[in-house]
Amino acid sequence: MDNDRVIVRKAVLSDCKYAAMITAEMEASAKVRGTGISKRSVSAIMKKIREGKAVIALTVNKIWVGFSYIESWSNGAFVSNSGMIVNPTFRGQGIASRIKRRIFQLSREKYPEAKLFSITSGLAIMRMNSKLGFLPVTFNEITRDPEFWKGCKSCVNFNILQRKGARTASVRQCFIRLLPYKKKKKKKVCC
């Protein structure tokens, strides 16, 4: 497949038709890799699309290629790029990197002052996060919002994290990386 024939953009209402396909691939990929991807519902994916908090990749012929969305907590103080998935047919072509860059950009547009973080157990996403400037952090440095921890319950690693104490667990099961917000310095305009 030709990577140039794939368009990565902010998802729009008409993209809701891909939600079932997206959630099915998320679940299938998690099973194949044995990774801790939290289960998402079709309605949750559709909600992210309707809220303008999702990025989708499609071929020029409208074949679904990939997806990611934004999740926020603590009134937008913490934002996560979540649900990264690429159709297996299109993997290994740099599509995930393109989606990651676009969802990162969308996160900054919608939440310019937020602490942006990413949770992954996949090496490829960890590498992308590092290239974008994300740094590894402990659970103590991310949101304490109960809704965040509630979302972790469907992850295969949740019981391990609970046994260790979610706030003090090591990042061996979940790899959380944080990109602290750095306000851009305004250039001084000389008289």
Side-chain angles (χ1 to χ4, degrees), residues 31-49:
K31 286 177 183 174
V32 168
R33 292 182 295 183
T35 57
I37 298 174
S38 185
K39 188 171 174 139
R40 280 92 169 179
S41 67
V42 171
S43 62
I45 296 299
M46 291 173 72
K47 181 179 181 210
K48 292 299 175 188
I49 292 170

Side-chain angles (χ1 to χ4, degrees), residues 5-22:
R5 298 184 54 80
V6 173
I7 299 161
V8 178
R9 59 167 172 75
K10 183 177 170 183
V12 295
L13 285 177
S14 61
D15 296 325
C16 285
K17 65 186 170 199
Y18 300 105
M21 197 179 309
I22 291 165

Side-chain angles (χ1 to χ4, degrees), residues 111-130:
Y111 301 94
E113 308 252 347
K115 289 184 179 177
L116 186 59
F117 67 98
S118 181
I119 304 167
T120 188
S121 55
L123 184 59
I125 301 295
M126 282 187 256
R127 287 181 179 151
M128 282 183 249
N129 287 341
S130 293

Side-chain angles (χ1 to χ4, degrees), residues 34-100:
T35 57
I37 298 174
S38 185
K39 188 171 174 139
R40 280 92 169 179
S41 67
V42 171
S43 62
I45 296 299
M46 291 173 72
K47 181 179 181 210
K48 292 299 175 188
I49 292 170
R50 284 193 302 272
E51 292 173 342
K53 296 180 179 179
V55 166
I56 195 162
L58 302 169
T59 67
V60 292
N61 296 322
K62 307 290 186 214
I63 296 169
W64 173 74
V65 176
F67 182 82
S68 186
Y69 66 87
I70 299 168
E71 191 68 70
S72 65
W73 296 275
S74 304
N75 296 315
F78 291 89
V79 173
S80 173
N81 298 157
S82 299
M84 167 72 78
I85 191 72
V86 174
N87 180 328
T89 305
F90 296 91
R91 290 183 185 160
Q93 299 178 40
I95 303 295
S97 293
R98 290 176 59 197
I99 294 169
K100 188 71 173 176

